[in-house]
Amino acid sequence: MARLGLDQAGAWRISPANQAFALCPSYPRYVVVPADISDHALSMSAKFRASRRFPAVVWRYASLGGE
């Protein structure tokens, strides 16, 4: 999260919900997700999404100006 410039104490958290790859086999064991979404909500949303991909941070664009 530090490499992406995300504040772990703010809007994001690291979730272990996919630790056994049960939610989404193509996502890593630990994923960065919005802080206010529960692991249960991730599990429920994975059931209804293509390839079981739930909302997670996978990339962040940083401008050249550092903003």
Side-chain angles (χ1 to χ4, degrees):
M1 287 181 52
R3 182 177 58 82
L4 291 173
L6 299 173
D7 178 14
Q8 187 173 352
W12 307 99
R13 70 180 180 91
I14 297 173
S15 171
N18 200 43
Q19 194 169 20
F21 301 104
L23 293 182
C24 180
S26 64
Y27 275 10
R29 293 179 189 269
Y30 299 95
V31 292
V32 177
V33 299
D36 59 350
I37 190 169
S38 69
D39 288 346
H40 176 72
L42 291 175
S43 176
M44 296 304 290
S45 68
K47 291 180 181 181
F48 301 101
R49 297 178 63 95
S51 300
R52 300 184 50 87
R53 293 188 175 135
F54 51 88
V57 175
V58 294
W59 181 79
R60 180 175 183 221
Y61 173 79
S63 69
L64 296 176
E67 297 175 0

